[in-house]
Amino acid sequence: MNKFQPLFFFMIALLATAAMISIGIAIAYRHVPAIVASIVALFAVMGLGFSLKRKKKNALTIR
């Protein structure tokens, strides 16, 4: 396991949290393009995190 790997997953979690916060801020300002962009960013970051987690889990079970 790479020593920077937990830090990388933590950064992905922070990005997902920032995307959720930005959704709330965009809703407060009633800015539809920002709402859509924040939702797309959230799905992208969450998808990246889950796919990396699955790859890590599969790599550990194969060895």
Side-chain angles (χ1 to χ4, degrees):
M1 184 171 160
N2 189 354
K3 68 178 184 176
F4 294 111
Q5 196 168 15
L7 180 64
F8 184 68
F9 282 112
F10 180 69
M11 295 301 279
I12 291 175
L14 283 179
L15 284 173
T17 305
M20 289 180 210
I21 291 169
S22 65
I23 291 171
I25 293 170
I27 289 172
Y29 284 120
R30 298 180 186 195
H31 194 257
V32 177
I35 295 170
V36 172
S38 299
I39 291 173
V40 169
L42 178 64
F43 277 106
V45 171
M46 293 291 282
L48 175 68
F50 283 128
S51 67
L52 289 176
K53 184 178 176 183
R54 184 179 64 212
K55 285 181 185 179
K56 178 184 167 192
K57 185 176 180 181
N58 287 342
L60 291 176
T61 57
I62 291 174
R63 292 182 184 180

